[in-house]
Amino acid sequence: MKVTASSSNLFQLTHFGAINCYLVREDDGFTLIDTADSGQAQPIMQEASKLGLPIVRILLTHAHIDHVGSLDALHAALPQAQVAISERDARFLSGDMSLDPSEPQVSLRGGYPICQTKPTVLLHEGDRICSLEVIATPGHTPGHVAFLDTRDRSVIAGDAFQTLGGVAVSGTVKLLFPLPALSNWHKGLSLESARKLLALQPSLLAVGHGRMLSHPQAAMERAIRVMERSLAQEERKQPHVA
Ligand SMILES: [Zn+2]
């Protein structure tokens, strides 16, 4: 895996040039955010050990296969490590693909594998896990979350944004890398979540697909405008129901 350091606290691990997970340094070891696709448990643990710390907890931004692919193998190798995901997306890990009546009744997209690993912590908006604050960012998936590092306002945004092929809100198709858009659940919610992340005034945007971006706010704003225009266009095309 390719390792890119953003600071002494945040390391991006990249597989295939396209799939990222992150090591966040805490006092007791590394928090791993996301687990890449399958077959990456050993490479991830090797990179952590080269950086000199054990992985003590695993946080998941959402339940898509390129984020939970190595979860079971990592859990088997690191049974003491906490495993945390939003309460909403935890249901997908166990194979429950139902939508709640309160949610938009829009088909789920992307791969949601069933995992043997049972989360030990279910995350909600505002929870704190060491330095990281949980930010609920539904849209890409119903229970997608991002993490704000309260030490330096880095945001680990999962697939709420992408930077590969251009900076985009999840749901905007980037021809060079359309995967996040094609697996997006609900564009309107993705847009709201993107605005919420921008309002945090992040110092750095770290995403599931693409390089990390420092001083990301202008680029995030532009991506939000693109999504706003695309949604407005779609609305004009929809026949209005009286
Ligand atoms: Zn995804």
Side-chain angles (χ1 to χ4, degrees):
M1 297 185 108
K2 185 181 171 221
V3 180
T4 310
S6 140
S7 66
S8 55
N9 290 333
L10 180 63
F11 300 88
Q12 181 190 61
L13 311 186
T14 307
H15 183 226
F16 274 150
I19 299 173
N20 299 328
C21 57
Y22 291 89
L23 291 168
V24 177
R25 187 191 297 273
E26 298 286 4
D27 289 342
D28 59 351
F30 276 129
T31 296
L32 173 68
I33 300 181
D34 290 335
T35 70
D37 47 326
S38 65
Q40 299 312 303
Q42 287 304 325
I44 289 170
M45 287 190 299
Q46 276 163 17
E47 297 303 344
S49 98
K50 275 193 238 167
L51 292 167
L53 286 178
I55 294 170
V56 292
R57 62 189 74 75
I58 300 169
L59 306 185
L60 301 164
T61 58
H62 64 295
H64 276 151
I65 187 151
D66 51 333
H67 297 256
V68 304
S70 289
L71 175 61
D72 283 345
L74 280 162
H75 178 61
L78 304 166
Q80 304 306 320
Q82 263 184 7
V83 175
I85 186 169
S86 72
E87 182 167 24
R88 178 66 190 88
D89 267 25
R91 275 169 35 198
F92 299 132
L93 296 183
S94 66
D96 172 1
M97 300 301 288
S98 62
L99 291 169
D100 288 334
S102 60
E103 290 172 341
Q105 300 299 299
V106 176
S107 302
L108 294 162
R109 296 195 202 172
Y112 289 87
I114 294 176
C115 294
Q116 302 308 313
T117 306
K118 300 280 168 272
T120 53
V121 178
L122 296 176
L123 301 174
H124 301 94
E125 166 83 7
D127 287 352
R128 273 291 285 271
I129 301 101
C130 302
S131 305
L132 301 175
E133 183 180 332
V134 176
I135 314 292
T137 46
H140 182 74
T141 65
H144 190 285
V145 293
F147 299 100
L148 170 72
D149 192 324
T150 53
R151 294 171 292 194
D152 62 5
R153 304 200 74 73
S154 295
V155 166
I156 297 95
D159 286 355
F161 279 88
Q162 71 181 78
T163 64
L164 189 59
V167 180
V169 176
S170 178
T172 303
V173 176
K174 286 286 180 186
L175 291 177
L176 289 175
F177 194 71
L179 177 73
L182 298 178
S183 53
N184 191 62
W185 173 56
H186 191 277
K187 277 189 185 183
L189 288 173
S190 293
L191 174 61
E192 278 176 35
S193 291
R195 288 181 181 137
K196 186 176 177 183
L197 291 180
L198 175 62
L200 295 174
Q201 303 188 313
S203 62
L204 177 114
L205 180 69
V207 295
H209 307 285
R211 64 186 183 87
M212 295 181 281
L213 208 62
S214 21
H215 310 293
Q217 295 178 36
M220 291 168 78
E221 248 176 75
R222 281 194 296 274
I224 286 169
R225 298 290 163 262
V226 170
M227 178 57 106
E228 285 171 348
R229 281 197 294 274
S230 137
L231 273 175
Q233 251 170 16
E234 277 178 28
E235 264 169 40
R236 276 198 296 274
K237 280 185 204 149
Q238 306 257 319
H240 282 276
V241 180

